[in-house]
Amino acid sequence: MSTTTVSAPVSARKKITTLSFQQKKERGEPITMLTAYDYPTALTLDQAGIDSILVGDSLGMVVLGYENTLPVTMEEMLHHCRAVARGAKSALLIGDMPFMSYQVSAEEATRNAGRFLQQGGMDAVKLEGGRERADAIHAIVAAGIPVMGHLGLTPQSVHQLGGFRAQGKTALAAQRLLEDAQVLAQAGCFSLVLESVPAQLAAYISQRINIPTIGIGAGADCDGQVLVTHDLLGLFERFTPKFVKQYAHLNAEMRRAFGEYMSEVQARQFPGAEHSLEMNAAEWHTFLGAQESQNEK
Ligand code: KIV
């Protein structure tokens, strides 16, 4: 039996907004963010008091079983965004724009970003990339839609990057990353994910831009942290990045539960009397009597 204390559900929290993110940065209070793709996880995260939920396109890998995030479509994202929005009422909800939904033109990016709010119930969108995304970000923000940027290891560019590799490790790459972060802040992003970049660089960028940075594999000195929930819970075993800490081992726990269920069904131990319905004895005898008289005819 675990002795770890579980925090009580946070009831009737105030809605977290992009302004709350900014205020937390100013107060030096770390922002907490995790991913969710379904109603029960969103509900539980919201009850736990998480600041923000990202409906990440990591959905493609950890829920839909794709090799990477590239096949994820707008329709798939919106379907899961709606489920999350039904579960979480207080956390800031951010929808991840999938590959090719924002790269072609600023107009198409704005239209697709709008769908996340109108049809997906999200509060904001996230998109990957640096200076090359400035026009799209300007246009989306001008439409009144908050945008979170994403720099460093940007999984939608996995083929261009030559794999899921850490970024910003040379002086030149670090300089480019800092400049990109400044461009995104100027373009109007309210926050920025920094993925798989050296801790010193993430800390340096966090001090030099006035919007909150959310780190994943970027050290402890970002303004907040995000992880893929399936990684944190030990639910996705295909591969675990070095920066992931598993706070639970649910895959093993699920295998144990499934195995126990199968053994009990095979041994006719499940369902027991406590999981079965009983008919009132008088009704049952009336039924049997009726059967007998029918059989005699
Ligand atoms: O898709 C995702 O879950 C993400 C996070 C890892 C930041 O982009």
Short mmCIF file of all heavy atoms in Angstrom, two decimals, residues 108-144:
data_model
loop_
_atom_site.label_atom_id
_atom_site.label_comp_id
_atom_site.label_asym_id
_atom_site.label_seq_id
_atom_site.Cartn_x
_atom_site.Cartn_y
_atom_site.Cartn_z
N GLU A 108 -4.53 30.16 -44.48
CA GLU A 108 -4.96 28.79 -44.13
C GLU A 108 -4.67 28.53 -42.65
O GLU A 108 -5.47 27.89 -41.95
CB GLU A 108 -4.20 27.79 -45.01
CG GLU A 108 -4.87 26.45 -45.11
CD GLU A 108 -4.20 25.58 -46.17
OE1 GLU A 108 -4.11 26.03 -47.33
OE2 GLU A 108 -3.77 24.47 -45.82
N ALA A 109 -3.51 29.02 -42.17
CA ALA A 109 -3.15 28.85 -40.76
C ALA A 109 -4.21 29.49 -39.86
O ALA A 109 -4.65 28.91 -38.86
CB ALA A 109 -1.78 29.47 -40.49
N THR A 110 -4.66 30.69 -40.24
CA THR A 110 -5.65 31.41 -39.42
C THR A 110 -6.98 30.67 -39.42
O THR A 110 -7.62 30.51 -38.38
CB THR A 110 -5.85 32.84 -39.97
OG1 THR A 110 -4.56 33.44 -40.11
CG2 THR A 110 -6.69 33.69 -39.03
N ARG A 111 -7.38 30.19 -40.60
CA ARG A 111 -8.66 29.47 -40.69
C ARG A 111 -8.61 28.21 -39.82
O ARG A 111 -9.54 27.91 -39.06
CB ARG A 111 -8.94 29.11 -42.16
CG ARG A 111 -10.37 28.71 -42.38
CD ARG A 111 -10.79 28.77 -43.84
NE ARG A 111 -10.85 30.10 -44.40
CZ ARG A 111 -10.16 30.53 -45.45
NH1 ARG A 111 -9.33 29.72 -46.08
NH2 ARG A 111 -10.29 31.75 -45.89
N ASN A 112 -7.51 27.47 -39.90
CA ASN A 112 -7.39 26.23 -39.11
C ASN A 112 -7.28 26.53 -37.61
O ASN A 112 -7.86 25.81 -36.79
CB ASN A 112 -6.19 25.41 -39.59
CG ASN A 112 -6.52 24.65 -40.87
OD1 ASN A 112 -7.65 24.18 -41.04
ND2 ASN A 112 -5.57 24.52 -41.76
N ALA A 113 -6.56 27.60 -37.28
CA ALA A 113 -6.46 27.98 -35.86
C ALA A 113 -7.85 28.29 -35.31
O ALA A 113 -8.21 27.88 -34.20
CB ALA A 113 -5.53 29.18 -35.70
N GLY A 114 -8.64 28.99 -36.12
CA GLY A 114 -10.01 29.34 -35.71
C GLY A 114 -10.84 28.10 -35.43
O GLY A 114 -11.65 28.08 -34.50
N ARG A 115 -10.63 27.03 -36.19
CA ARG A 115 -11.40 25.79 -35.97
C ARG A 115 -11.12 25.20 -34.60
O ARG A 115 -11.99 24.58 -33.99
CB ARG A 115 -11.07 24.77 -37.07
CG ARG A 115 -11.57 25.19 -38.45
CD ARG A 115 -11.33 24.10 -39.47
NE ARG A 115 -12.22 22.96 -39.27
CZ ARG A 115 -12.03 21.75 -39.80
NH1 ARG A 115 -10.98 21.53 -40.56
NH2 ARG A 115 -12.89 20.77 -39.57
N PHE A 116 -9.88 25.36 -34.11
CA PHE A 116 -9.55 24.83 -32.77
C PHE A 116 -10.41 25.49 -31.69
O PHE A 116 -10.79 24.85 -30.72
CB PHE A 116 -8.06 25.02 -32.46
CG PHE A 116 -7.20 23.90 -32.98
CD1 PHE A 116 -6.66 23.97 -34.24
CD2 PHE A 116 -6.95 22.78 -32.21
CE1 PHE A 116 -5.88 22.93 -34.74
CE2 PHE A 116 -6.19 21.73 -32.69
CZ PHE A 116 -5.65 21.81 -33.96
N LEU A 117 -10.70 26.80 -31.88
CA LEU A 117 -11.52 27.49 -30.88
C LEU A 117 -13.01 27.25 -31.13
O LEU A 117 -13.74 26.91 -30.20
CB LEU A 117 -11.22 29.01 -30.89
CG LEU A 117 -10.04 29.45 -30.00
CD1 LEU A 117 -8.71 28.87 -30.46
CD2 LEU A 117 -9.94 30.96 -29.94
N GLN A 118 -13.41 27.36 -32.41
CA GLN A 118 -14.84 27.24 -32.73
C GLN A 118 -15.37 25.82 -32.62
O GLN A 118 -16.44 25.58 -32.08
CB GLN A 118 -15.06 27.70 -34.18
CG GLN A 118 -15.64 29.06 -34.27
CD GLN A 118 -15.96 29.44 -35.71
OE1 GLN A 118 -15.44 28.89 -36.68
NE2 GLN A 118 -16.82 30.42 -35.84
N GLN A 119 -14.59 24.86 -33.13
CA GLN A 119 -15.09 23.47 -33.20
C GLN A 119 -14.44 22.56 -32.17
O GLN A 119 -14.95 21.48 -31.90
CB GLN A 119 -14.84 22.90 -34.61
CG GLN A 119 -15.56 23.66 -35.70
CD GLN A 119 -15.06 23.28 -37.10
OE1 GLN A 119 -14.55 22.19 -37.33
NE2 GLN A 119 -15.21 24.19 -38.03
N GLY A 120 -13.30 22.98 -31.63
CA GLY A 120 -12.57 22.10 -30.70
C GLY A 120 -12.68 22.52 -29.25
O GLY A 120 -12.24 21.78 -28.35
N GLY A 121 -13.22 23.71 -28.99
CA GLY A 121 -13.38 24.16 -27.59
C GLY A 121 -12.07 24.56 -26.93
O GLY A 121 -12.00 24.64 -25.69
N MET A 122 -11.03 24.83 -27.74
CA MET A 122 -9.74 25.23 -27.16
C MET A 122 -9.70 26.73 -26.87
O MET A 122 -10.50 27.50 -27.41
CB MET A 122 -8.60 24.88 -28.14
CG MET A 122 -8.45 23.39 -28.41
SD MET A 122 -7.77 22.47 -27.00
CE MET A 122 -9.23 21.71 -26.34
N ASP A 123 -8.73 27.13 -26.03
CA ASP A 123 -8.55 28.55 -25.70
C ASP A 123 -7.41 29.16 -26.53
O ASP A 123 -7.29 30.38 -26.62
CB ASP A 123 -8.16 28.71 -24.22
CG ASP A 123 -9.19 28.08 -23.30
OD1 ASP A 123 -10.39 28.31 -23.52
OD2 ASP A 123 -8.80 27.36 -22.36
N ALA A 124 -6.53 28.30 -27.04
CA ALA A 124 -5.34 28.78 -27.74
C ALA A 124 -4.82 27.67 -28.64
O ALA A 124 -5.27 26.52 -28.54
CB ALA A 124 -4.26 29.16 -26.71
N VAL A 125 -3.88 28.00 -29.51
CA VAL A 125 -3.26 26.97 -30.36
C VAL A 125 -1.75 27.00 -30.17
O VAL A 125 -1.19 27.99 -29.69
CB VAL A 125 -3.59 27.18 -31.87
CG1 VAL A 125 -5.07 27.06 -32.13
CG2 VAL A 125 -3.06 28.53 -32.38
N LYS A 126 -1.10 25.89 -30.56
CA LYS A 126 0.36 25.83 -30.56
C LYS A 126 0.82 25.43 -31.96
O LYS A 126 0.15 24.64 -32.62
CB LYS A 126 0.86 24.80 -29.53
CG LYS A 126 2.38 24.59 -29.57
CD LYS A 126 2.88 23.73 -28.43
CE LYS A 126 2.86 22.26 -28.71
NZ LYS A 126 3.65 21.83 -29.88
N LEU A 127 1.92 26.00 -32.39
CA LEU A 127 2.50 25.56 -33.66
C LEU A 127 4.02 25.56 -33.55
O LEU A 127 4.59 26.23 -32.68
CB LEU A 127 2.00 26.42 -34.84
CG LEU A 127 2.14 27.94 -34.77
CD1 LEU A 127 3.54 28.39 -35.13
CD2 LEU A 127 1.14 28.57 -35.75
N GLU A 128 4.66 24.76 -34.40
CA GLU A 128 6.11 24.56 -34.32
C GLU A 128 6.85 25.46 -35.31
O GLU A 128 6.35 25.72 -36.40
CB GLU A 128 6.44 23.09 -34.65
CG GLU A 128 5.84 22.10 -33.69
CD GLU A 128 6.19 20.64 -34.01
OE1 GLU A 128 6.98 20.40 -34.96
OE2 GLU A 128 5.67 19.75 -33.32
N GLY A 129 8.06 25.87 -34.93
CA GLY A 129 8.93 26.57 -35.86
C GLY A 129 9.32 27.96 -35.41
O GLY A 129 8.69 28.52 -34.51
N GLY A 130 10.36 28.51 -36.06
CA GLY A 130 10.94 29.79 -35.67
C GLY A 130 10.52 30.92 -36.58
O GLY A 130 9.33 31.08 -36.89
N ARG A 131 11.52 31.69 -37.05
CA ARG A 131 11.26 32.93 -37.82
C ARG A 131 10.37 32.69 -39.04
O ARG A 131 9.62 33.56 -39.45
CB ARG A 131 12.59 33.56 -38.23
CG ARG A 131 13.48 32.66 -39.05
CD ARG A 131 14.92 33.12 -39.02
NE ARG A 131 15.54 32.78 -37.72
CZ ARG A 131 16.75 33.14 -37.36
NH1 ARG A 131 17.50 33.89 -38.14
NH2 ARG A 131 17.24 32.77 -36.19
N GLU A 132 10.47 31.46 -39.63
CA GLU A 132 9.67 31.15 -40.83
C GLU A 132 8.17 31.11 -40.53
O GLU A 132 7.35 31.06 -41.44
CB GLU A 132 10.17 29.84 -41.48
CG GLU A 132 9.93 28.57 -40.66
CD GLU A 132 10.92 28.37 -39.49
OE1 GLU A 132 11.74 29.27 -39.24
OE2 GLU A 132 10.82 27.33 -38.82
N ARG A 133 7.81 31.13 -39.25
CA ARG A 133 6.38 31.08 -38.87
C ARG A 133 5.84 32.46 -38.46
O ARG A 133 4.68 32.58 -38.06
CB ARG A 133 6.16 30.13 -37.68
CG ARG A 133 6.57 28.73 -37.92
CD ARG A 133 5.63 27.98 -38.84
NE ARG A 133 6.30 26.78 -39.31
CZ ARG A 133 6.66 26.54 -40.56
NH1 ARG A 133 6.36 27.40 -41.52
NH2 ARG A 133 7.29 25.44 -40.89
N ALA A 134 6.69 33.49 -38.53
CA ALA A 134 6.30 34.81 -38.00
C ALA A 134 5.02 35.33 -38.67
O ALA A 134 4.12 35.84 -38.00
CB ALA A 134 7.44 35.80 -38.16
N ASP A 135 4.91 35.16 -40.01
CA ASP A 135 3.72 35.69 -40.71
C ASP A 135 2.45 34.99 -40.25
O ASP A 135 1.42 35.63 -40.00
CB ASP A 135 3.87 35.51 -42.24
CG ASP A 135 4.90 36.47 -42.81
OD1 ASP A 135 5.30 37.41 -42.07
OD2 ASP A 135 5.30 36.27 -43.97
N ALA A 136 2.53 33.67 -40.15
CA ALA A 136 1.35 32.89 -39.73
C ALA A 136 0.95 33.30 -38.31
O ALA A 136 -0.23 33.51 -38.02
CB ALA A 136 1.64 31.40 -39.79
N ILE A 137 1.94 33.46 -37.43
CA ILE A 137 1.63 33.83 -36.03
C ILE A 137 0.98 35.21 -35.98
O ILE A 137 -0.04 35.40 -35.32
CB ILE A 137 2.91 33.76 -35.16
CG1 ILE A 137 3.38 32.30 -35.05
CG2 ILE A 137 2.67 34.35 -33.76
CD1 ILE A 137 4.79 32.12 -34.50
N HIS A 138 1.55 36.17 -36.71
CA HIS A 138 0.97 37.52 -36.78
C HIS A 138 -0.50 37.44 -37.17
O HIS A 138 -1.36 38.06 -36.55
CB HIS A 138 1.68 38.35 -37.86
CG HIS A 138 2.81 39.18 -37.32
ND1 HIS A 138 2.61 40.16 -36.37
CD2 HIS A 138 4.13 39.19 -37.63
CE1 HIS A 138 3.77 40.73 -36.10
NE2 HIS A 138 4.71 40.15 -36.84
N ALA A 139 -0.77 36.68 -38.23
CA ALA A 139 -2.14 36.61 -38.77
C ALA A 139 -3.08 35.96 -37.76
O ALA A 139 -4.21 36.43 -37.55
CB ALA A 139 -2.13 35.83 -40.08
N ILE A 140 -2.64 34.89 -37.11
CA ILE A 140 -3.52 34.18 -36.15
C ILE A 140 -3.80 35.09 -34.95
O ILE A 140 -4.94 35.22 -34.50
CB ILE A 140 -2.89 32.83 -35.71
CG1 ILE A 140 -2.67 31.91 -36.91
CG2 ILE A 140 -3.77 32.14 -34.68
CD1 ILE A 140 -1.87 30.65 -36.61
N VAL A 141 -2.74 35.73 -34.46
CA VAL A 141 -2.90 36.63 -33.30
C VAL A 141 -3.81 37.80 -33.67
O VAL A 141 -4.67 38.22 -32.88
CB VAL A 141 -1.52 37.11 -32.77
CG1 VAL A 141 -1.68 38.18 -31.70
CG2 VAL A 141 -0.72 35.93 -32.22
N ALA A 142 -3.67 38.30 -34.91
CA ALA A 142 -4.52 39.42 -35.35
C ALA A 142 -5.99 39.01 -35.39
O ALA A 142 -6.88 39.85 -35.30
CB ALA A 142 -4.06 39.91 -36.72
N ALA A 143 -6.24 37.70 -35.52
CA ALA A 143 -7.63 37.22 -35.51
C ALA A 143 -8.14 37.02 -34.08
O ALA A 143 -9.26 36.55 -33.87
CB ALA A 143 -7.73 35.91 -36.30
N GLY A 144 -7.30 37.33 -33.10
CA GLY A 144 -7.73 37.24 -31.70
C GLY A 144 -7.51 35.87 -31.08
O GLY A 144 -8.12 35.52 -30.07
#
